[in-house]
Amino acid sequence: MMIDPSASLGSNVFVGRHAVIESGVTIGDNVTIGYGAIIRAGTTIENGVSVGDLTVLGKKPTGNKKKAVKPPSNLPPLVIGEGASIGCNCVIYLGVSLGADVLVGDLASIREFVSIGESTIVGRSAVVEPHTVIGRFVTIQTSCYITSNMLIEDDVFIGPCCSTSNDKYMGSGREAHQGPIIRRGAKIGNNATLLPGIRIGERAVVGAGAVITRDVPPDSTYVGNPGRPLTR
Amino acid sequence: MMIDPSASLGSNVFVGRHAVIESGVTIGDNVTIGYGAIIRAGTTIENGVSVGDLTVLGKKPTGNKKKAVKPPSNLPPLVIGEGASIGCNCVIYLGVSLGADVLVGDLASIREFVSIGESTIVGRSAVVEPHTVIGRFVTIQTSCYITSNMLIEDDVFIGPCCSTSNDKYMGSGREAHQGPIIRRGAKIGNNATLLPGIRIGERAVVGAGAVITRDVPPDSTYVGNPGRPLTR
Amino acid sequence: MMIDPSASLGSNVFVGRHAVIESGVTIGDNVTIGYGAIIRAGTTIENGVSVGDLTVLGKKPTGNKKKAVKPPSNLPPLVIGEGASIGCNCVIYLGVSLGADVLVGDLASIREFVSIGESTIVGRSAVVEPHTVIGRFVTIQTSCYITSNMLIEDDVFIGPCCSTSNDKYMGSGREAHQGPIIRRGAKIGNNATLLPGIRIGERAVVGAGAVITRDVPPDSTYVGNPGRPLTR
């Protein structure tokens, strides 16, 4: 392994073979870093964290010549909160804040400028895009796609394979991007589709496979394509 | 690379640079282990197996503080059957049994307590959850999500991106989880959605994009959202 | 790291720790190869390319005993065009041609015999199957599944999580596989499902979550399951 001499490691830290820890990385006590994991500069890992094998932490965003987007400069650090557990083969960018006891599954990726509250789960192979805020005790199941500029409040449950979007005009650049807003305690069934800017009210339920094209009121249940109130 | 002296390697075994083989691992003859692959303790690899680069075998489940779930102890080994082929950047847990000639695509992951029969294919980026039984000569296409507590019988075909679920009440903990049961020879179209506990009968066909909310009888074809019998 | 002496590296090439560069690989000037990346024989990387950590380039296809498919021999090289950017934990096969300034997101995979035009984006966790041709300035968003034998013309936009298929009879081997054909400038909403051989006309729009079972004429908009023309 390769540990930069300027990195700071607490006590009882296990670093797996072939791991790389770059300059200035800070690692607390009782931390496990898996084999071949890459901890890039700008990453802070708090006490009791476990990082899986072959995971990349602290990746810098790349630019996008097609859209003439330059990578953001002066990104804040990546902070992995106390007791969090990160899977294997994940990619987490600089500028992400993971609360205490967050669980990130294998093969998941999380882009820059994302905040995730304590005890939230990001499932395996899930993807979280930039500039999204996710609350506490949220479950984002396996293979979900969480677009950018979303707000997901506390205690939300999002089933496997759900898909969200934020760009009504699909790449034409005509409008600011706005992802869905999912209010506290709402539940989204597996493989549901949420259109840009949709609001899902508190404790609302979206059925599996539903395609949600307009706002869903609190405490209501929507199913179908297009999504309509469930009539029993 | 790092090979623990207590690991047992057969003849004609190639181990790629920067691979890690932990204590007690058993590897048969004519096996290829890719660059940077991680073979953790408790893994048995039979003759003629190929393991891709940067793949993790024998991962131990982590606990889940949110749900007060402790990781299972005394997991059985991970056994990779003769002639199986595992892709690159995969993650396969302890307590999995892969039959002879199973093919696992790149970036796939398979959790603990899963049994997969001979010559079955698990596509790239597919995910298989714990406590699921998959038969022989099954095709699980790319990016499928196979939930926990499912039964998939022999000769089933599941198209790309299919999504399954096992929790009718979405995280409320009100009911035991039961995934779909897919009987022999059934075929599921791409991006179909199966609700918890649904039974798909023998040789039944589910159309692409269908949302299956109730049982599908044998030899029938269901399409649409919600899924209904196809009328020609 | 391990660099085969027969590999050719240009000037100003950074190779990350624990990377592997096999025999005969050609790398241009001003190239960055991430930590632990695996560059296999038969790969050519042009000037100004960036390759992420733990990415595998130049993988050879494996055979498939179930379908009695032998891996193709005499594959052409993998060519990564000038200025392209490849994410972390990707897998790209031999026989792929990526044009200049192509961007491939983290955890994506691209199979053999695929050609991708300049400045096209392949999103994170997206999958591209063999024998597919993708034009210039195309956006394939995160977690899309692009099946084999597809044609995607220039300036197409495919939203996140879209799913395509190419096998009307689902594994029965009764018919040649033909994926969808998406004409210039068409836009596909997120989590849409396209059936085998469907043609999407120029500048047509497919709504999010739509299931497209027949051809979509140019300049039209289709939504729903099954997909029908949008009536305003």
Side-chain angles (χ1 to χ4, degrees):
Chain A
M1 63 221 189
M2 181 181 88
I3 302 181
D4 189 275
S6 72
S8 159
L9 275 66
S11 64
N12 192 27
V13 171
F14 171 84
V15 180
R17 190 81 169 236
H18 308 129
V20 171
I21 298 179
E22 285 195 340
S23 63
V25 165
T26 301
I27 298 180
D29 302 332
N30 305 310
V31 167
T32 301
I33 307 290
Y35 299 117
I38 312 293
I39 318 297
R40 286 187 168 273
T43 301
T44 294
I45 297 177
E46 298 186 350
N47 296 337
V49 166
S50 167
V51 177
D53 304 325
L54 303 168
T55 274
V56 178
L57 298 184
K59 179 176 172 172
K60 274 189 197 155
T62 45
N64 180 335
K65 289 179 191 173
K66 177 180 169 186
K67 298 188 182 168
V69 173
K70 286 193 183 173
S73 55
N74 295 322
L75 275 168
L78 162 61
V79 179
I80 312 278
E82 187 164 339
S85 174
I86 314 295
C88 299
N89 289 62
C90 296
V91 183
I92 305 183
Y93 282 62
L94 281 180
V96 169
S97 165
L98 302 185
D101 298 326
V102 162
L103 197 157
V104 177
D106 309 309
L107 296 153
S109 63
I110 304 174
R111 287 278 302 270
E112 68 274 13
F113 299 117
V114 165
S115 159
I116 300 185
E118 64 165 301
S119 298
T120 282
I121 296 172
V122 176
R124 276 180 303 141
S125 297
V127 176
V128 181
E129 298 283 20
H131 298 284
T132 277
V133 174
I134 302 175
R136 302 157 67 232
F137 297 96
V138 171
T139 297
I140 294 171
Q141 283 262 16
T142 304
S143 294
C144 277
Y145 175 69
I146 304 300
T147 190
S148 60
N149 299 288
M150 270 186 78
L151 170 63
I152 301 176
E153 293 189 346
D154 297 349
D155 304 314
V156 163
F157 178 96
I158 305 184
C161 311
C162 285
S163 173
T164 58
S165 61
N166 66 7
D167 182 5
K168 202 172 170 184
Y169 296 102
M170 299 195 218
S172 69
R174 268 198 279 170
E175 202 177 64
H177 293 184
Q178 176 61 55
I181 293 171
I182 307 183
R183 296 293 180 196
R184 189 167 186 146
K187 293 175 187 292
I188 316 290
N190 65 307
N191 213 13
T193 303
L194 306 186
L195 270 74
I198 287 301
R199 284 150 198 275
I200 309 291
E202 294 198 4
R203 297 169 305 278
V205 174
V206 169
V211 177
I212 301 301
T213 59
R214 47 185 173 148
D215 291 354
V216 172
D219 298 300
S220 62
T221 298
Y222 272 52
V223 299
N225 180 0
R228 295 202 168 93
L230 178 65
T231 53
R232 292 171 197 272
Chain B
M1 63 220 188
M2 182 182 89
I3 303 181
D4 190 275
S6 73
S8 158
L9 276 65
S11 64
N12 193 26
V13 170
F14 172 84
V15 180
R17 191 80 169 240
H18 308 129
V20 171
I21 299 179
E22 286 195 340
S23 63
V25 165
T26 301
I27 298 180
D29 303 331
N30 305 310
V31 167
T32 300
I33 306 289
Y35 298 119
I38 312 294
I39 318 296
R40 286 187 168 273
T43 301
T44 294
I45 297 177
E46 298 186 350
N47 297 337
V49 165
S50 167
V51 177
D53 304 326
L54 303 168
T55 274
V56 178
L57 299 183
K59 178 175 172 171
K60 274 189 197 155
T62 47
N64 180 335
K65 289 180 190 173
K66 177 181 170 187
K67 299 187 183 170
V69 174
K70 285 193 184 173
S73 54
N74 295 323
L75 276 169
L78 162 61
V79 179
I80 313 278
E82 187 164 339
S85 174
I86 313 296
C88 299
N89 290 59
C90 295
V91 184
I92 305 182
Y93 283 62
L94 280 179
V96 170
S97 165
L98 301 185
D101 297 326
V102 161
L103 197 157
V104 177
D106 309 310
L107 296 153
S109 64
I110 304 174
R111 286 279 302 270
E112 67 275 12
F113 298 117
V114 165
S115 159
I116 300 184
E118 64 165 300
S119 298
T120 281
I121 296 171
V122 176
R124 278 180 301 142
S125 297
V127 177
V128 181
E129 297 283 19
H131 297 283
T132 278
V133 174
I134 302 175
R136 303 157 66 232
F137 298 95
V138 170
T139 297
I140 294 172
Q141 282 263 15
T142 304
S143 295
C144 277
Y145 175 70
I146 304 299
T147 191
S148 61
N149 300 287
M150 270 186 79
L151 170 62
I152 302 176
E153 294 188 346
D154 297 349
D155 304 314
V156 163
F157 178 97
I158 304 184
C161 312
C162 285
S163 173
T164 58
S165 62
N166 66 6
D167 182 6
K168 201 172 170 183
Y169 297 102
M170 299 195 221
S172 69
R174 268 198 279 171
E175 204 178 63
H177 292 183
Q178 176 61 54
I181 293 170
I182 307 183
R183 296 293 181 195
R184 188 167 187 146
K187 293 174 186 294
I188 315 290
N190 65 307
N191 213 12
T193 303
L194 306 185
L195 269 73
I198 287 300
R199 284 150 197 274
I200 309 291
E202 294 198 5
R203 297 170 305 278
V205 174
V206 169
V211 177
I212 301 300
T213 60
R214 47 185 172 146
D215 292 354
V216 172
D219 297 300
S220 62
T221 298
Y222 271 52
V223 299
N225 179 0
R228 296 202 168 94
L230 178 65
T231 51
R232 292 170 196 271
Chain C
M1 62 219 190
M2 181 182 88
I3 303 180
D4 189 275
S6 72
S8 159
L9 275 67
S11 65
N12 193 27
V13 170
F14 172 85
V15 179
R17 190 79 169 239
H18 307 130
V20 171
I21 300 179
E22 285 195 340
S23 63
V25 165
T26 301
I27 298 181
D29 301 331
N30 305 310
V31 166
T32 300
I33 307 290
Y35 298 118
I38 312 293
I39 318 296
R40 286 188 168 272
T43 301
T44 293
I45 297 177
E46 298 186 350
N47 296 337
V49 165
S50 167
V51 176
D53 303 326
L54 302 167
T55 275
V56 178
L57 299 184
K59 178 175 172 172
K60 275 190 196 153
T62 46
N64 180 335
K65 290 180 190 173
K66 177 180 170 187
K67 299 188 182 168
V69 174
K70 285 193 181 172
S73 56
N74 294 323
L75 275 169
L78 162 60
V79 179
I80 312 278
E82 187 164 339
S85 174
I86 314 296
C88 298
N89 288 28
C90 295
V91 183
I92 306 182
Y93 283 61
L94 280 180
V96 170
S97 166
L98 302 185
D101 298 326
V102 161
L103 197 156
V104 177
D106 308 310
L107 296 153
S109 64
I110 305 175
R111 287 277 302 270
E112 67 276 11
F113 298 117
V114 165
S115 160
I116 299 185
E118 64 165 299
S119 298
T120 281
I121 296 171
V122 176
R124 276 181 300 142
S125 297
V127 177
V128 181
E129 298 283 19
H131 297 284
T132 277
V133 174
I134 301 175
R136 302 157 66 232
F137 297 96
V138 170
T139 297
I140 294 171
Q141 283 263 16
T142 303
S143 294
C144 277
Y145 175 69
I146 304 300
T147 191
S148 61
N149 299 288
M150 270 186 79
L151 170 62
I152 302 176
E153 293 188 346
D154 297 348
D155 303 314
V156 162
F157 179 97
I158 305 184
C161 311
C162 285
S163 173
T164 58
S165 61
N166 65 7
D167 182 5
K168 200 172 171 184
Y169 296 103
M170 299 196 220
S172 69
R174 268 197 279 170
E175 204 178 62
H177 293 184
Q178 176 62 56
I181 293 170
I182 307 183
R183 297 294 181 195
R184 189 166 185 148
K187 294 174 186 292
I188 316 290
N190 65 305
N191 213 13
T193 303
L194 306 186
L195 270 74
I198 287 300
R199 284 150 198 272
I200 309 291
E202 293 198 5
R203 296 170 306 277
V205 174
V206 168
V211 177
I212 301 300
T213 59
R214 47 184 172 146
D215 292 353
V216 172
D219 297 300
S220 62
T221 297
Y222 272 51
V223 299
N225 180 359
R228 295 200 169 95
L230 178 65
T231 53
R232 291 169 198 273

